Amino acid sequence: MTENVSVSWQEYYAKTGQRSPRPTLLYALDRFAEERDPEEQLKAVDLGCGSGRDTIELCRRGWAVLAIDAEASAIESLRARPDLPTDAMLETCVERFEDADWGEVNLVNAGFSLPLCPPQVFPDLWKRIFRSLRRGGRFAGQLYGDRDEWAGDPTLTHLTRAQIETLLADLELEYFEEEEDDAVTPRGKPKHWHIFHIVARKP
Ligand SMILES: C[S@@+](CC[C@H](N)C(=O)[O-])C[C@H]1O[C@@H](n2cnc3c(N)ncnc32)[C@H](O)[C@@H]1O
């Protein structure tokens, strides 16, 4: 089972790893660029970084990054990327994000990864994400809604819009897009998607 999951993630990394950074990350980075001194050293954690489509962009913009993924092959692919800047301030860690400790950061980025957290541990993970953000820090990423086709899988977290609004109540919402449509997954399977794309700032 574990081997199949790993093989299937490798297929995902091969198909998506070279794609452009997620719009949620770019939106958050543009907000930081508007308000911060370019000399200030900012730190991000990329939870479930995969093969690094977002991590690379953070490194390219001079951020210090801790990239965490449960799959060793994700970190190996990231480390092997020819577009990883030679002066990147990058630390990597093969660990489940529910178990990881990443300290204080300016940005928690989680592109399509948090829904893969089991629902029993998601509330605690979200609390730790919130606490780890410095004042003025941001969360950027995706959560899955309750009408997503995978809802009901006990290993995944799906939330209603109201539940997501409650999660975000102590943050300033800067970007909030609810997407619901039929499309294929990166692995080529048709799927009904219900996704919330989020950038939120800690006051
Ligand atoms: C859908 S991919 C997204 C990858 C990348 N963030 C992106 O935006 O393309 C989800 C990634 O999260 C990782 N992942 C899933 N559950 C995880 C967990 N509990 N802890 C750490 N990583 C996890 C997977 O190994 C995979 O690399």
Side-chain angles (χ1 to χ4, degrees), residues 9 12-13 22 48 50 53 69-71 96-98 111-112:
W9 277 126
Y12 177 93
Y13 304 145
R22 303 273 180 200
R53 63 190 285 181
D69 202 287
E71 285 292 319
R96 292 189 67 85
F97 41 60
E98 305 92 292
F112 283 82

